Amino acid sequence: MKMKMMPAIAALLLSAGMCFAQTPRAFKTWTPATTDSVYALEGQGWKTGLKNYYDRLPAISEKEVRPPVWNLSNNSAGLSLRFRTDADEIVIKYTVSGPAAMPHMAATGVSGVDLYAKSIDGQWMWCAGKYDFRDTIVYRFTRLKKYDQHVKNIDYTLYLPLYNSVKWLSVDVPAESMLKPLPVRKSAPIVVYGTSIAQGACASRPGMAWTNLLSRQLETPVINLAFSGNGRLEKEVLDRVAELDARLFVLDCLPNLTGAQYAGAELKKRITNAVTFLQQQRPGTPILLTEHDGYTDGEMDSTRKALYTQVNITLREVRDSLLKAGVKNISLLTKDEIGQDIESMVDGTHPNDIGMMHYANAYAKKIREIFHQESGNTVTTTPITQRRDAATYDWETRHEEVLAWNKAHQPKVVFMGNSITHFWGGNPVAKVRRGTSSWDKYFEPKQAVNMGFGWDRVENVLWRVQHGELDGITPGYIVLMIGTNNLQANTDEEIADGIKYLLQQIQARQGAAKIILMGILPRRNMESRVVRINQLIAKRAAGKNIQYVDAGKLFLKPGGKIEEQLFTDGLHPNETGYEKLGALINRYLKMQNN
């Protein structure tokens, strides 16, 4: 009987399904080109005077540069959109003006987009998307994390096509989700003038272009002014390059200068003129010259090997000549340092993803050397950003506020640390302030700046030190109190080694300043470990102009447990605790004219 009823039941269910079809999910749309409140397009040298929103050169350049350069400047290589959302699904829709693919380069690199997320601990994460290349290209990213631990949203970077021109683009998220465009970072960019290799050929996807890899590795904006086959050190392009307030200029044009018309004196002239012009227009800005990275078949084809060998010899000769003439701030990235091999190119000339990694790693190492931003071999000696306390403040915004405050006020005492410092008082003003009376009494008269960042670990302070927070100022004292947030993530050895390395980086920038190194404050249920690690820190961190101070006795009862009445939560001092800590530190601040 039941068997005979089955077809009827199935038909009934099918009918019901047809009558009650699932309602399509509602989405809301962000169209960056029509959004005026926040400019979120990073990697662009000019934000006004553009013919099209996603162009890489201003409109005036159309009449100045050769047509191939102008046409290639419409490609969106190196451009990215930054935004924050709690969406579990992101849909990118856009159209492009050219063919989707090239014979030697995949459509996902030529015309695709690439989405990366960033954890609250500063780690990059890649997002896999389903894509459909039609008149309107659609990338759909699903099953995304809606939050990262206690932070209820995620930061994303969307890299745009490398070898195509975006006509329009939208970012769609579910209607119930929040979506916040993130403003372009204010830090001075690395500006790259180069060839097809720098533009991104032949990366499998935009995020694998070496300029984008470099931007993630160094956590700094990179402007890609590479024009496939047309990186020729031309004055018309250099005029535009020099308009940019760069942190570093990279000239990586030799792969386009191997022809007979550039041999000998002409190549020397172009290199010399480029360096001289940029240094005249931007005095003091370092310039990095890059050798030709070679060809895969160089050992099989002597003619091809001779081409890149000769231009590299010429580049080194020009650089040596400039150095002998007293020119400063010029560095060289060599072919050997780039380290390409027979497995790292697609067609003998253009890097595959392996080759792009070789480029990015070599550039990152060289640039860290130029700016003294070397990292160590452990977590605590590797600089990184974070966003663990998004409810209380925005880490990136506070970094910009610190830079602006230092530039305007020239502090004489610098406090660096985590939330214990952050929530004390002073400027830049924090949302949470628990010790303003003691700060105002002891440190405000001494022109102190508060560089405490909630939830910072040793490696986060290291990033801030290496990204300008101690540059351009001449403090007499630097008070460093860091390490408590590392206790649950690192060993005692890692923490002590990280603090030692951090002190070295601080002194490399502020050799004349006296450093007051505070031991980690006692915290509930970790009192014994804090005592042990502070003994280790005191030994590891000893050195010239470093005064180690342990405030533990102020916050511990005779039995070794914390005095709860001095804390708000067993970790952060209250007003009474800050008063005791402030009085102690103040005794070591022997200020002149105070």
Side-chain angles (χ1 to χ4, degrees):
M1 185 69 177
K2 290 182 179 180
M3 293 296 292
K4 292 181 180 180
M5 291 288 291
M6 288 290 287
I9 294 172
L12 182 62
L13 291 174
L14 179 61
S15 175
M18 292 174 64
C19 293
F20 300 100
Q22 185 176 1
T23 303
R25 194 174 194 183
F27 282 78
K28 61 184 178 184
T29 299
W30 169 45
T31 307
T34 60
T35 300
D36 297 325
S37 58
V38 174
Y39 200 92
L41 184 60
E42 191 157 277
Q44 195 171 43
W46 297 265
K47 298 175 181 59
T48 59
L50 297 169
K51 186 174 182 178
N52 302 298
Y53 184 80
Y54 295 102
D55 285 352
R56 291 184 293 147
L57 286 177
I60 192 174
S61 298
E62 186 173 9
K63 298 179 180 179
E64 299 172 339
V65 301
R66 291 181 296 107
V69 174
W70 172 251
N71 293 335
L72 287 159
S73 76
N74 302 146
N75 294 168
S76 53
L79 302 185
S80 62
L81 290 164
R82 301 199 313 140
F83 57 92
R84 180 173 296 163
T85 183
D86 59 358
D88 62 352
E89 183 175 0
I90 298 173
V91 180
I92 312 297
K93 300 176 183 177
Y94 60 103
T95 60
V96 294
S97 61
M102 296 190 295
H104 64 318
M105 186 172 176
T108 50
V110 173
S111 305
V113 295
D114 210 359
L115 187 66
Y116 283 74
K118 202 174 189 186
S119 77
I120 62 172
D121 291 325
Q123 299 292 338
W124 287 100
M125 303 174 289
W126 181 70
C127 305
K130 303 293 185 182
Y131 45 84
D132 185 5
F133 282 82
R134 301 189 185 186
D135 290 342
T136 296
I137 302 173
V138 179
Y139 270 70
R140 188 177 297 274
F141 302 90
T142 59
R143 294 185 295 178
L144 299 171
K145 295 171 65 175
K146 299 188 69 172
Y147 61 90
D148 190 354
Q149 297 178 44
H150 58 280
V151 178
K152 302 304 181 182
N153 47 63
I154 306 289
D155 283 0
Y156 290 92
T157 296
L158 179 73
Y159 294 103
L160 302 187
L162 299 171
Y163 262 85
N164 222 322
S165 303
V166 176
K167 297 168 65 176
W168 68 267
L169 180 146
S170 68
V171 179
D172 294 358
V173 298
E176 69 274 13
S177 303
M178 63 84 69
L179 176 62
K180 177 184 178 182
L182 296 177
V184 172
R185 289 173 289 182
K186 296 180 181 180
S187 52
I190 295 169
V191 177
V192 178
Y193 177 20
T195 70
S196 57
I197 296 171
Q199 183 168 337
C202 289
S204 64
R205 47 188 173 82
M208 291 304 297
W210 72 254
T211 57
N212 291 335
L213 284 163
L214 181 69
S215 181
R216 292 198 301 278
Q217 288 187 18
L218 297 183
E219 296 285 1
T220 195
V222 176
I223 294 177
N224 186 322
L225 294 180
F227 311 106
S228 186
N230 294 276
R232 303 179 186 177
L233 298 179
E234 294 171 302
K235 185 180 184 304
E236 296 80 5
V237 178
L238 287 165
D239 284 341
R240 293 296 161 212
V241 171
E243 290 180 351
L244 302 175
D245 185 15
R247 187 180 181 213
L248 170 74
F249 291 114
V250 175
L251 300 180
D252 190 352
C253 292
L254 287 197
N256 288 163
L257 294 170
T258 58
Q261 67 270 38
Y262 307 115
E266 177 62 24
L267 181 56
K268 289 183 178 181
K269 176 183 175 183
R270 291 196 180 214
I271 298 169
T272 302
N273 288 349
V275 172
T276 303
F277 176 73
L278 289 176
Q279 291 203 330
Q280 288 174 344
Q281 299 300 309
R282 294 288 176 179
T285 301
I287 297 172
L288 176 56
L289 304 171
T290 306
E291 289 188 356
H292 193 308
D293 67 330
Y295 301 121
T296 300
D297 60 342
E299 296 305 318
M300 293 292 291
D301 187 335
S302 59
T303 301
R304 295 254 288 170
K305 183 174 182 178
L307 288 175
Y308 67 74
T309 300
Q310 186 53 57
V311 295
N312 286 344
I313 290 172
T314 301
L315 181 66
R316 288 193 291 270
E317 289 176 349
V318 173
R319 188 231 183 194
D320 291 345
S321 177
L322 290 169
L323 289 175
K324 289 179 181 178
V327 178
K328 298 180 180 179
N329 292 324
I330 52 173
S331 302
L332 180 69
L333 181 65
T334 68
K335 174 183 178 295
D336 289 343
E337 288 172 314
I338 298 170
Q340 303 293 24
D341 55 46
I342 62 172
E343 313 297 351
S344 62
M345 294 185 188
V346 170
D347 54 3
T349 301
H350 299 96
N352 55 26
D353 287 352
I354 298 172
M356 288 293 179
M357 285 298 303
H358 289 171
Y359 255 110
N361 292 340
Y363 268 112
K365 184 175 186 294
K366 180 66 66 172
I367 292 170
R368 287 189 177 111
E369 291 172 357
I370 292 172
F371 292 110
H372 305 293
Q373 293 182 344
E374 297 88 348
S375 62
N377 299 318
T378 63
V379 171
T380 56
T381 58
T382 302
I384 197 169
T385 62
Q386 62 99 349
R387 198 170 72 91
R388 302 184 189 98
D389 192 16
T392 303
Y393 78 109
D394 183 82
W395 195 90
E396 192 172 290
T397 300
R398 183 163 175 81
H399 172 63
E400 298 293 345
E401 290 172 348
V402 165
L403 296 179
W405 182 268
N406 286 349
K407 186 176 181 179
H409 297 86
Q410 290 294 311
K412 299 303 179 186
V413 179
V414 169
F415 280 77
M416 302 196 83
N418 47 47
S419 56
I420 296 172
T421 300
H422 188 176
F423 296 162
W424 198 335
N427 288 289
V429 174
K431 183 178 179 180
V432 178
R433 288 171 288 171
R434 295 173 177 151
T436 52
S437 61
S438 57
W439 182 282
D440 291 345
K441 177 169 62 174
Y442 295 121
F443 309 131
E444 197 65 28
K446 295 180 171 60
Q447 295 177 250
V449 61
N450 186 330
M451 293 189 195
F453 284 53
W455 270 106
D456 255 13
R457 296 174 181 166
V458 175
E459 58 269 27
N460 307 130
V461 179
L462 178 61
W463 188 95
R464 296 195 282 118
V465 167
Q466 292 189 349
H467 286 77
E469 290 192 11
L470 292 180
D471 297 346
I473 58 176
T474 55
Y477 288 90
I478 298 172
V479 181
L480 177 65
M481 183 164 51
I482 194 66
T484 194
N485 292 321
N486 291 90
L487 290 173
Q488 294 176 325
N490 305 105
T491 66
D492 292 0
E493 293 282 339
E494 288 173 334
I495 298 170
D497 287 344
I499 291 175
K500 179 180 180 180
Y501 188 78
L502 174 59
L503 289 169
Q504 293 171 353
Q505 291 290 301
I506 291 173
Q507 290 193 313
R509 291 157 176 79
Q510 293 290 340
K514 295 180 174 61
I515 298 175
I516 299 174
L517 174 63
M518 302 299 299
I520 297 174
L521 289 190
R523 56 186 294 175
R524 184 188 297 147
N525 299 327
M526 300 186 79
E527 293 93 340
S528 297
R529 184 185 176 192
V530 169
V531 170
R532 293 194 304 270
I533 193 173
N534 278 342
Q535 292 172 348
L536 183 60
I537 291 171
K539 293 178 181 178
R540 294 279 175 87
K544 183 180 179 182
N545 281 346
I546 299 174
Q547 173 71 58
Y548 175 77
V549 178
D550 191 344
K553 292 182 180 180
L554 298 178
F555 292 89
L556 292 172
K557 294 189 292 187
K561 293 294 183 180
I562 64 168
E563 178 56 74
E564 294 282 355
Q565 295 180 355
L566 299 178
F567 292 88
T568 62
D569 54 7
L571 170 63
H572 299 90
N574 56 22
E575 184 75 54
T576 304
Y578 277 122
E579 167 62 33
K580 288 179 173 291
L581 186 60
L584 174 65
I585 293 174
N586 187 59
R587 293 204 294 270
Y588 292 91
L589 299 178
K590 299 177 174 60
M591 305 292 292
Q592 294 181 352
N593 302 321
N594 187 60

